Amino acid sequence: MAKINLLDKSVFELIAAGEVIERPASVIKELVENSIDAGAEHITIEIKNGGSTFMRITDDGCGMAFDEIPTAFLRHATSKVKSADDLDRIFTLGFRGEALASVAAVSRVELLTKEHDAEMGGSFRISGGEVEEHERTGCPDGTTIIIRDLFYNVPARQKFLKKDVTEGNQIQALVDKLALAHPEIAFRFIRDNKCVRDTSGGGDYYSAIYSVFGKQFALSLIPVDFSLNSVSVTGYVSSPLFTRGNRALQYFYVNGRYVRSVICTTALEEGFRNSIMVGKFPACVLNITMPPELCDVNVSPSKTEVRFAFEKNVFDVINFGVKNAILNADNRRDVRLEKKEIPTERADMRSGDKILLEKAIKAVNSAPVGVDEKPPLPTEPPEPVRVFVPEDKPVITVAETAPFRIKHEENPFVQQRFSARSVTVEYDEDEQEDTAAAPAPTPESQNAFRYIDSSSFSEREEAPANVTAEPEKPRLKVIGEIFYTYIVCTCGDELILIDKHAAHERIRFEKRRTELMTSSQLLAESVRVTLDAEQYAAVAEHTDLFADIGMDVVLTDGGICEITAAPSAFTGEGGANSPEEMLIRAADALAGGNMNISDELYGDFLHTRACKSAIKAHDINSMAELTALANEVWNDERIRFCPHGRPIMLKLSEYELEKYFSRIQ
Ligand code: ADP
Ligand code: MG
């Protein structure tokens, strides 16, 4: 073995810098985060050649004291943390005191900085860790930092830099992420002398999204605003009708910090389960806020990973927040018929209802048209708030609160306000509130129903609780059926089309789900299952979740679990799979961050069952049957998408029809 050497400072500085600074985008991330921590209202980022030769960040933040400039460039020098206790409550983006030292070790740095009440500022130059200049000078308030020739002294790293355009794109994506997290700051991004991003600041979350992603994306969004215990989620998700082929547009922030988190992604997608096509992904910009002691951001040097003290709570907040958002958005898509699109040919007019239907379907499949430049979302008149009730956690106190404000006022980075309505939900074991019973339909002869059994009308325990006293719903009038597929109804001044197969499928799905959850049976002989360490740990951590899905699991030593009870669907005729297989699947899901094991286990089974037993398009149904079905759909807010994510209902207002027929201008 060779002799053990204590490394030279210049060598270990380079090694340490390598952890923090991987590429130009990592430099920008660290420096812009410093500007945000400094309370800047305007931040300008300028790069040339993908950042490899030139990067300049200018801010109007608090600046640095002249004497402290050299200290800021020392490793582990920070103004943000003083003692070990502070590490449990990190309010700033930076806290490791490594960025400036790392950047200075691998490039040529120039800094100009001035505190607001100082008469003179300071100029400072440092290259490869060696100080070259430290002088007093006149300069504007705030800080400007220039980085030239990144990795000029680490040729090995330089070799791994990608093409300028790729590095530049990475920086662009990063600036967008930062701008979305901080709508209160005006960001400007200048790439090779061209301004490519300019956000207005001012704190409006929606307009930040609008500037970054453009109109089309912004229009597809629905607001999310939900709290559970001390964790909140606010922001926007895409409508279930506007989906993506990948996860590129999923942005999560925890206390203002962009993070990548399997828990968050899975919870989002669980929130969309049964509302979105399989294989498609929702987009989102979601800001999760929580007391800083409940999350650990010191997991990786780049601080994009995060650990949560109460994973299930974070999962639930996002999952239910998203479900509520979808529920409250008017999923019966308005069909907007633009005047200029009206066909004038006589032949077209004759086949009026066909055109109408085609247009309606087209409108559902595309983003709404006929909307003005300014996004309408935040200014829409308030509607009653409805809350999705998690099956396993009764929602007890639900109160509509004033505009959302993060409680941790001392944290300057999470003081974003949202004009959207806020719903606060807290668990309280003692005070269970009954969910409002939906009006029982009164079909004259239930015997006439081949498909819809009478129990459909009595089981209402799962109906969503109405938070505010909702104005009485106008009655639905069923007119008939077209193409043996769509039930035609009117309600007030709206024409409503309901896809009978999709609707019935969803109803069956919900019913079967309730039955399954409540059909646990003691097994004659308990089943022993051997799990690997990861699976076992996941089950051990979440044993309570198994009780919720009707499985009794006992942990024994040596990675073995015993199943003593399981839903009868496992054991009875046509059961989905063996309890053993189910436990392993659930353990894998939990280990992968998915806490919604009920859908993970039963989802496919329920889909198949629901689809097979449901009314089909082109079936011949009695009017009574169609009326009962339409009423059931109308009265149950959950039934807006079929289990595969296709929409169930479509509405056209009298106003739109009048416009279409040129009765009004
Ligand atoms: P950290 O951000 O983890 O504290 P850095 O190395 O990034 O460590 O910065 C060191 C210190 O330099 C910061 O704690 C802060 O006091 C100061 N600083 C860095 N950038 C700025 C800036 N743009 N404006 C004001 N102060 C800054
Ligand atoms: Mg920093």
Side-chain angles (χ1 to χ4, degrees):
M1 182 83 68
K3 189 166 163 284
I4 298 175
N5 297 307
L6 193 60
L7 287 178
D8 215 45
K9 178 171 175 286
S10 60
V11 181
F12 81 62
E13 276 298 335
L14 283 182
I15 295 173
E19 270 199 25
V20 185
I21 309 298
E22 226 184 298
R23 54 180 0 118
S26 9
V27 176
I28 298 288
K29 175 176 185 291
E30 293 296 335
L31 299 182
V32 174
E33 287 188 349
N34 280 348
S35 299
I36 296 170
D37 283 351
E41 287 175 8
H42 297 85
I43 302 176
T44 302
I45 301 125
E46 229 178 310
I47 62 162
K48 286 185 183 144
N49 303 107
S52 61
T53 58
F54 181 89
M55 293 181 265
R56 173 162 54 199
I57 287 96
T58 309
D59 71 50
D60 57 356
C62 63
M64 287 181 238
F66 178 78
D67 295 337
E68 290 186 351
I69 302 173
T71 318
F73 282 85
L74 297 179
R75 195 161 292 278
H76 310 305
T78 176
S79 56
K80 300 165 195 174
V81 168
K82 285 197 187 72
S83 65
D85 289 347
D86 294 344
L87 287 178
D88 292 337
R89 294 180 60 78
I90 290 169
F91 290 115
T92 49
L93 297 170
F95 55 86
R96 299 169 68 104
E98 291 191 291
L100 291 186
S102 300
V103 173
V106 295
S107 67
R108 304 181 212 275
V109 179
E110 282 172 53
L111 177 91
L112 275 177
T113 185
K114 179 177 158 313
E115 290 184 302
H116 290 224
D117 51 7
E119 257 176 43
M120 294 281 276
S123 98
F124 186 79
R125 275 199 296 125
I126 180 168
S127 294
E130 299 297 324
V131 178
E132 295 173 343
E133 183 188 304
H134 181 203
E135 283 171 8
R136 289 192 192 272
T137 180
C139 61
D141 292 347
T143 304
T144 298
I145 184 163
I146 300 174
I147 314 297
R148 290 183 212 273
D149 305 328
L150 184 65
F151 300 135
Y152 78 97
N153 53 349
V154 201
R157 260 292 155 92
Q158 211 170 25
K159 259 202 322 238
F160 286 101
L161 285 183
K162 302 230 164 69
K163 282 194 206 126
D164 288 355
V165 61
T166 314
E167 297 293 348
N169 288 347
Q170 293 236 4
I171 295 175
Q172 167 94 58
L174 176 92
V175 171
D176 287 347
K177 280 177 191 142
L178 291 163
L180 287 172
H182 296 280
E184 75 282 8
I185 300 174
F187 285 87
R188 239 168 112 76
F189 178 41
I190 300 166
R191 191 170 166 177
D192 296 316
N193 299 322
K194 204 170 143 219
C195 180
V196 291
R197 182 70 72 231
D198 200 357
T199 69
S200 60
D204 179 5
Y205 208 17
Y206 192 72
S207 64
I209 296 176
Y210 198 81
S211 333
V212 171
F213 294 122
K215 180 177 167 181
Q216 184 74 7
F217 179 78
L219 282 174
S220 77
L221 296 176
I222 48 185
V224 177
D225 194 343
F226 194 78
S227 311
L228 203 56
N229 302 325
S230 49
V231 181
S232 311
V233 61
T234 43
Y236 294 91
V237 290
S238 54
S239 133
L241 299 170
F242 187 93
T243 54
R244 306 242 138 202
N246 58 43
R247 298 191 170 91
L249 282 186
Q250 295 182 354
Y251 291 77
F252 294 98
Y253 300 89
V254 171
N255 292 349
R257 178 192 307 278
Y258 172 80
V259 295
R260 279 192 301 241
S261 156
V262 183
I263 302 276
C264 296
T265 314
T266 323
L268 167 81
E269 289 170 13
E270 277 306 313
F272 272 87
R273 196 192 268 254
N274 304 328
S275 299
I276 200 169
M277 302 263 198
V278 176
K280 292 285 182 190
F281 300 95
C284 75
V285 180
L286 289 178
N287 203 347
I288 298 124
T289 50
M290 64 182 77
E293 60 270 27
L294 295 187
C295 61
D296 182 3
V297 291
N298 194 10
V299 183
S300 64
S302 63
K303 297 165 284 180
T304 48
E305 276 160 56
V306 62
R307 269 197 220 116
F308 300 115
F310 301 104
E311 289 182 347
K312 177 74 165 80
N313 195 33
V314 176
F315 183 92
D316 282 350
V317 171
I318 301 175
N319 183 14
F320 300 137
V322 168
K323 281 200 164 92
N324 273 314
I326 298 172
L327 198 67
N328 280 298
D330 189 2
N331 291 326
R332 294 163 294 126
R333 260 304 167 89
D334 288 315
V335 180
R336 291 160 206 259
L337 302 177
E338 264 190 317
K339 188 102 178 42
K340 58 178 182 287
E341 285 186 12
I342 295 173
T344 47
E345 298 285 308
R346 284 206 135 259
D348 280 341
M349 296 303 266
R350 255 180 264 127
S351 54
D353 78 341
K354 189 154 174 263
I355 295 164
L356 213 61
L357 199 69
E358 277 169 7
K359 271 186 173 289
I361 291 165
K362 210 172 116 204
V364 165
N365 292 330
S366 63
V369 292
V371 183
D372 289 343
E373 269 306 306
K374 241 345 198 188
L377 269 171
T379 51
E380 277 187 350
E383 282 170 14
V385 179
R386 291 178 285 272
V387 167
F388 172 88
V389 186
E391 285 147 24
D392 53 342
K393 299 249 188 302
V395 173
I396 308 308
T397 44
V398 181
E400 205 168 345
T401 61
F404 181 76
R405 219 169 276 212
I406 283 111
K407 286 170 211 114
H408 318 291
E409 298 288 348
E410 65 269 45
N411 181 353
F413 308 108
V414 291
Q415 282 183 357
Q416 290 154 22
R417 285 166 209 173
F418 295 87
S419 55
R421 288 154 299 131
S422 164
V423 178
T424 309
V425 178
E426 274 157 29
Y427 298 151
D428 181 345
E429 300 298 326
D430 308 327
E431 217 188 289
Q432 296 220 356
E433 191 182 276
D434 283 337
T435 54
T442 51
E444 298 79 50
S445 80
Q446 290 190 0
N447 300 341
F449 300 147
R450 284 177 298 132
Y451 298 101
I452 305 168
D453 51 46
S454 55
S455 60
S456 320
F457 308 123
S458 49
E459 282 180 20
R460 282 280 172 222
E461 316 79 79
E462 271 206 321
N466 289 342
V467 177
T468 53
E470 253 189 278
E472 209 176 292
K473 236 182 187 168
R475 275 177 64 90
L476 190 74
K477 190 171 163 206
V478 179
I479 312 280
E481 189 184 17
I482 49 173
F483 314 137
Y484 293 109
T485 303
Y486 305 102
I487 310 172
V488 183
C489 321
T490 59
C491 186
D493 63 353
E494 285 172 346
L495 167 70
I496 293 157
L497 297 178
I498 296 171
D499 178 328
K500 69 178 180 183
H501 169 70
H504 196 218
E505 193 181 1
R506 183 60 189 248
I507 290 167
R508 305 286 311 162
F509 181 82
E510 294 297 339
K511 256 178 62 66
R512 297 291 299 152
R513 176 148 71 173
T514 316
E515 280 167 24
L516 259 174
M517 296 307 150
T518 51
S519 67
S520 180
Q521 273 184 1
L522 273 181
L523 300 178
E525 226 176 284
S526 63
V527 179
R528 287 167 68 83
V529 187
T530 309
L531 300 174
D532 70 26
E534 207 183 342
Q535 292 167 331
Y536 187 81
V539 175
E541 204 178 324
H542 300 289
T543 33
D544 52 326
L545 299 183
F546 286 90
D548 295 342
I549 57 160
M551 269 181 104
D552 266 355
V553 178
V554 182
L555 295 161
T556 58
D557 288 340
I560 294 174
C561 289
E562 262 185 46
I563 308 167
T564 53
S568 54
F570 292 162
T571 51
E573 250 181 279
N577 277 303
S578 67
E580 179 180 3
E581 234 183 288
M582 287 295 165
L583 176 65
I584 291 173
R585 267 174 62 188
D588 284 340
L590 288 170
N594 184 0
M595 314 274 160
N596 193 351
I597 53 175
S598 73
D599 274 356
E600 180 67 30
L601 294 187
Y602 305 120
D604 294 345
F605 174 54
L606 293 173
H607 276 191
T608 324
R609 283 267 183 118
C611 188
K612 279 194 183 141
S613 59
I615 293 174
K616 302 277 179 303
H618 309 297
D619 276 357
I620 296 170
N621 301 104
S622 71
M623 192 60 182
E625 212 166 7
L626 295 174
T627 306
L629 181 59
N631 272 309
E632 189 158 7
V633 170
W634 187 242
N635 288 321
D636 191 340
E637 298 286 350
R638 292 169 306 177
I639 304 173
R640 293 297 174 264
F641 293 90
C642 83
H644 304 102
R646 283 191 292 111
I648 282 173
M649 202 189 264
L650 184 67
K651 82 176 177 187
L652 257 172
S653 72
E654 188 180 357
Y655 173 77
E656 282 152 343
L657 286 172
E658 286 186 334
K659 272 191 95 171
Y660 180 79
F661 288 109
S662 296
R663 286 174 167 273
I664 51 172
Q665 291 310 310

